[in-house]
Amino acid sequence: MSELNKIALQILSNGKGILAADESTATMTKRLDSVKVHSDENNRLLFRQTLFSSLSMKECIGGVILYDETIRQKTSNGKTIPELINSSGSLTGIKVDTGAKTLAGSKEEKITEGLDGLRERLKEYYKLGARFTKWRGVYLISDKYPSKLSVSANAHALARYAALVQEAEMVPIIEPEVLMDGDHSAKVCYEKTSEVIKKCYEELQLNNVDLSGTILKPNMILPGENSKNKISNEEVAELTLECLKNNVPSEVPGIAFLSGGQTEIEATTNLNQINKKNNTKFIMSFSYGRALQQSALKFWSKDINDISGTQEVFDHRAKMCTLAAQGKWSENLENKK
Ligand code: 5MM
């Protein structure tokens, strides 16, 4: 078993998943604005360190993805944020892309940037305590999108990123996110997601990436946000499993879904169904941003000094996700706090 494979398994074993707290300052400001908290360095740190020192970090969160600002911050006790995360047995991750920019050649679509100077940045992040990384490619769905150009350019960037990350002895999370925006059916999401994932693995293999030392972070197969054709949680699970079984090579140890705009309960229910029906060898867990933090953020915004109250709300959500990652969640557990 390679070192990278061990790290990937450490992050995702026993129902543990990932807390995606890597919102860029612009995104974090939007989140804080939505609950009427001023977005400054201290408030961003206070919310995040509240979550990272919660009890559930030990049992439920195998890794936390940070943004550049956070990995350099210290808590009020003088501990660095990676030290705080490691103290609960969880691993520190870092978002290393520099964002999705307009794709020249198909201007409604995006290409994720950040390859220039990445080798040097990775060395610094390793020294700061990171042991895994994240890069997100985003894809639109419509009749003509994602274009072949976007599918191939984003897969190429993801693969070059992953190869550099493994060279720096960290585990790359490969995140190709097919967005929920639109009125497409789940079938269309299935087809487009399959095409995107297939291309990613073609490029990853071409770049000699050791797949056993990677984690895939995909979207679930869902109808578009504005689609009239909703499907059941069982169908979401079946389509998602089918898509991943057909397109992800068996060496990949684990899959950690993004929540992508689903509510906390939807993201938990769907993950639970996926695990109940899981007929693959992959670990199926979570790497949620909004679906882990929404309720905690709302609670915290009412009194930003109520640390233990906020942690209780976060601990509940993290516990529910961990149960779902083992197919052991049920709706009635939501009320037993
Ligand atoms: C935490 O949000 C990340 C987005 O950051 P920026 O847009 O600020 O760069 C995002 O990549 C996130 O990690 C994933 O999309 C998962 O988050 P959700 O909320 O979809 O589970």
Side-chain angles (χ1 to χ4, degrees):
M1 192 192 278
S2 73
E3 273 312 304
L4 295 183
N5 181 250
K6 272 190 215 156
I7 294 176
L9 291 173
Q10 184 184 342
I11 297 171
L12 297 181
S13 296
N14 305 321
K16 285 188 186 177
I18 299 168
L19 167 59
D22 59 311
E23 298 86 356
S24 57
T25 302
T27 304
M28 196 57 190
T29 300
K30 257 193 246 161
R31 305 267 189 270
L32 292 175
D33 283 352
S34 74
V35 293
K36 301 194 167 53
V37 174
H38 178 60
S39 176
D40 58 30
E41 226 181 298
N42 285 340
N43 283 346
R44 292 193 290 270
L45 174 63
L46 180 58
F47 178 63
R48 286 166 164 159
Q49 90 177 42
T50 300
L51 303 190
F52 306 162
S53 42
S54 299
L55 278 177
S56 57
M57 285 290 297
K58 215 167 166 197
E59 304 290 332
C60 307
I61 306 294
V64 180
I65 316 174
L66 301 176
Y67 181 58
D68 183 80
E69 174 182 86
T70 325
I71 201 170
R72 300 171 191 283
Q73 285 175 316
K74 283 191 174 161
T75 67
S76 28
N77 303 331
K79 259 191 194 171
T80 68
I81 291 292
E83 281 166 357
L84 171 64
I85 293 170
N86 298 347
S87 68
S88 61
S90 187
L91 293 179
T92 298
I94 179 81
K95 186 229 297 286
V96 301
D97 66 63
T98 55
K101 311 280 160 59
T102 302
L103 174 61
S106 180
K107 293 199 166 154
E108 279 182 87
E109 295 184 285
K110 304 265 188 215
I111 177 72
T112 302
E113 294 188 348
L115 289 172
D116 286 352
L118 181 57
R119 182 176 266 135
E120 288 66 40
R121 287 196 291 127
L122 290 172
K123 282 189 193 136
E124 191 196 2
Y125 286 139
Y126 188 95
K127 280 196 199 132
L128 289 168
R131 291 298 175 268
F132 73 102
T133 65
K134 191 200 94 171
W135 178 290
R136 169 173 172 255
V138 279
Y139 306 83
L140 275 181
I141 294 194
S142 76
D143 294 349
K144 48 180 183 170
Y145 298 139
S147 64
K148 285 220 159 27
L149 173 62
S150 139
V151 172
S152 119
N154 276 296
H156 176 79
L158 272 163
R160 296 226 359 240
Y161 138 82
L164 281 164
V165 170
Q166 290 196 332
E167 184 188 276
E169 294 172 28
M170 293 184 277
V171 168
I173 295 186
I174 320 289
E175 182 180 3
E177 176 174 7
V178 178
L179 296 171
M180 259 168 83
D181 309 10
D183 57 5
H184 53 271
S185 64
K187 183 169 173 275
V188 170
C189 178
Y190 175 93
E191 282 158 8
K192 308 269 183 181
T193 304
S194 300
E195 183 190 346
V196 162
I197 293 181
K198 199 168 169 210
K199 188 69 185 171
C200 284
Y201 284 107
E202 235 176 81
E203 288 286 335
L204 286 160
Q205 276 158 340
L206 196 64
N207 281 270
N208 299 320
V209 172
D210 167 14
L211 297 181
S212 74
T214 64
I215 292 172
L216 176 67
K217 174 164 173 169
N219 49 286
M220 295 177 189
I221 304 299
L222 298 163
E225 214 172 19
N226 301 321
S227 167
K228 293 196 188 86
N229 303 314
K230 299 294 174 214
I231 61 171
S232 67
N233 304 114
E234 284 84 359
E235 286 169 304
V236 170
E238 279 157 18
L239 286 170
T240 303
L241 286 165
E242 192 61 26
C243 171
L244 297 171
K245 210 164 59 183
N246 292 338
N247 297 293
V248 182
S250 58
E251 301 95 288
V252 174
I255 292 175
F257 293 97
L258 58 95
S259 58
Q262 298 179 71
T263 64
E264 291 176 341
I265 299 294
E266 279 164 357
T268 310
T269 313
N270 285 331
L271 180 63
N272 190 53
Q273 280 302 331
I274 288 172
N275 278 289
K276 277 190 152 172
K277 292 179 187 288
N278 190 1
N279 53 358
T280 72
K281 280 193 185 156
F282 307 121
I283 297 174
M284 298 280 184
S285 187
F286 57 92
S287 175
Y288 292 162
R290 286 161 287 180
L292 268 174
Q293 300 182 67
Q294 241 153 28
S295 295
L297 181 66
K298 215 165 154 193
F299 184 94
W300 175 75
S301 69
K302 300 211 173 82
D303 175 2
I304 65 171
N305 295 312
D306 187 353
I307 306 296
S308 62
T310 306
Q311 290 179 333
E312 218 176 285
V313 176
F314 176 72
D315 285 342
H316 172 71
R317 203 64 258 136
K319 175 100 189 290
M320 294 298 106
C321 288
T322 292
L323 288 170
Q326 301 166 89
K328 293 180 181 164
W329 174 85
S330 66
E331 208 172 347
N332 60 343
L333 295 172
E334 287 293 337
N335 306 319
K336 288 185 199 152
K337 293 190 187 169

